[in-house]
Amino acid sequence: MHPVQKHLFDTNFQDLEGTRIEGTIALSDELINLGIMDFLSGLKSTPTPPASKKNSTAPAAAPDPKALLAKLDIEVLQVSAKEGKILLNIKAGI
Amino acid sequence: MPDLPPPLQTLLNNPQAHLEGTDVRIDLSLGRTLLNEVLAARPADTPVEELFLDPENDNTVNLHLEVKAPVIGLVKRRITFRPGGPVVFPSQPWLHLEITDGFRFMDKPIIKLMQGQIAEKLPRGIELTSDHLRLHVPALLTAAGYQKLVPMIKHLQLHSEANCLVIELHLVA
């Protein structure tokens, strides 16, 4: 893993605090479907950690989704579909 | 370019097609620790011994630099930059950073004397004089393999706050 990516994961994106995003993100259906396939293959290939390692203090390979969501301040999030696209209307910050 | 997840690679191959209809403004706030992690991840085979950034709340950024120079040995400087006006595509592709402080007595004449050699050593798209640092954003994105993102960037500007550097972006596809 790239050291910068590792730093972001280890600190739960703390160094991006103050980041804001506002507007419309349009994603093609092809991209959405590729994302779903990639997510599913990631689930299949991720081994279940042994019970004895659950309390390990080693840094997580990926950020804790709960901790990450707790950092998000979402004012607007609307999803709609239009002619082969998914439109995401968003106003949010970290 | 490193191996990317298939959706991201597909997006980068043709961002205009996969993001058509996008109109989004992003203020990306990069904390001091993160900026210095990025600088620490530089290639090992450079003469730069120490390099770190210290953004201030008056829209200036201090660059602490320690370089092994031929003949004169180790050179330490704290150079202060002030980000200039916005990059607006396609009419104004340069990101301009004015050097407001940090050079010592003989630095500026030496830089002026060696201007040609400095230009030859720097990557395409980076221009350093005794007064400013300029980055040609399309050239740098092209060199990094992201040239297809260039037409999407309608506005790009830097400003600094205490301990963070903010990149203001307006992306349209």
Side-chain angles (χ1 to χ4, degrees), chain B residues 6-173:
Chain B
L8 191 53
Q9 189 59 62
T10 303
L11 188 152
L12 291 173
N13 289 344
N14 195 348
Q16 192 64 41
H18 291 293
L19 295 174
E20 191 184 1
T22 293
D23 185 346
V24 68
R25 290 177 191 272
I26 302 168
D27 285 354
L28 185 61
S29 180
L30 306 171
R32 185 173 179 266
T33 313
L34 178 63
L35 290 168
N36 290 311
E37 285 285 339
V38 174
L39 293 180
R42 67 186 178 274
D45 58 343
T46 63
V48 180
E49 298 278 301
E50 194 175 279
L51 186 67
F52 68 93
L53 280 173
D54 186 14
E56 303 275 5
N57 63 357
D58 60 352
N59 201 28
T60 60
V61 182
N62 297 313
L63 176 73
H64 299 260
L65 179 73
E66 201 173 300
V67 183
K68 257 188 197 165
V71 186
I72 52 175
L74 208 60
V75 177
K76 281 177 83 164
R77 295 288 183 272
R78 189 188 81 158
I79 300 167
T80 305
F81 294 93
R82 183 182 300 281
V87 172
V88 181
F89 287 95
S91 56
Q92 206 301 89
W94 289 96
L95 187 63
H96 186 99
L97 296 145
E98 185 190 351
I99 297 173
T100 60
D101 194 18
F103 285 135
R104 293 188 189 162
F105 176 58
M106 285 304 288
D107 292 351
K108 286 196 173 191
I110 290 171
I111 289 172
K112 280 181 182 157
L113 198 66
M114 296 180 69
Q115 197 62 65
Q117 289 177 51
I118 292 170
E120 279 174 21
K121 297 261 183 198
L122 288 173
R124 192 168 169 266
I126 300 180
E127 182 185 287
L128 176 70
T129 72
S130 56
D131 300 316
H132 69 253
L133 172 69
R134 287 207 310 170
L135 309 175
H136 192 277
V137 176
L140 293 173
L141 282 173
T142 299
Y146 301 121
Q147 65 272 31
K148 289 183 177 171
L149 294 177
V150 172
M152 289 180 57
I153 303 172
K154 298 302 171 199
H155 178 105
L156 188 158
Q157 187 162 19
L158 287 186
H159 76 263
S160 84
E161 294 172 4
N163 295 317
C164 75
L165 192 63
V166 181
I167 303 173
E168 298 169 25
L169 269 173
H170 181 201
L171 303 174
V172 178

Side-chain angles (χ1 to χ4, degrees), chain A residues 18-56:
Chain A
T19 293
R20 303 282 312 156
I21 181 166
E22 183 172 1
T24 303
I25 301 170
L27 300 169
S28 69
D29 282 356
E30 185 189 345
L31 206 59
I32 296 285
N33 288 320
L34 274 171
I36 291 169
M37 293 308 293
D38 192 48
F39 175 70
L40 290 176
S41 42
L43 285 182
K44 281 182 186 169
S45 61
T46 306
T48 308
S52 60
K53 291 198 173 180
K54 271 189 177 171
N55 294 324
S56 166

Side-chain angles (χ1 to χ4, degrees), chain A residues 11-92:
Chain A
T11 57
N12 268 321
F13 297 86
Q14 179 181 302
D15 284 319
L16 296 179
E17 275 180 17
T19 293
R20 303 282 312 156
I21 181 166
E22 183 172 1
T24 303
I25 301 170
L27 300 169
S28 69
D29 282 356
E30 185 189 345
L31 206 59
I32 296 285
N33 288 320
L34 274 171
I36 291 169
M37 293 308 293
D38 192 48
F39 175 70
L40 290 176
S41 42
L43 285 182
K44 281 182 186 169
S45 61
T46 306
T48 308
S52 60
K53 291 198 173 180
K54 271 189 177 171
N55 294 324
S56 166
T57 54
D64 174 4
K66 277 187 186 171
L68 194 55
L69 278 171
K71 282 189 179 292
L72 286 179
D73 173 22
I74 300 172
E75 284 181 56
V76 176
L77 185 62
Q78 292 170 329
V79 180
S80 58
K82 182 186 163 190
E83 295 168 1
K85 288 182 192 311
I86 299 291
L87 302 176
L88 197 64
N89 187 21
I90 188 167
K91 186 174 180 184

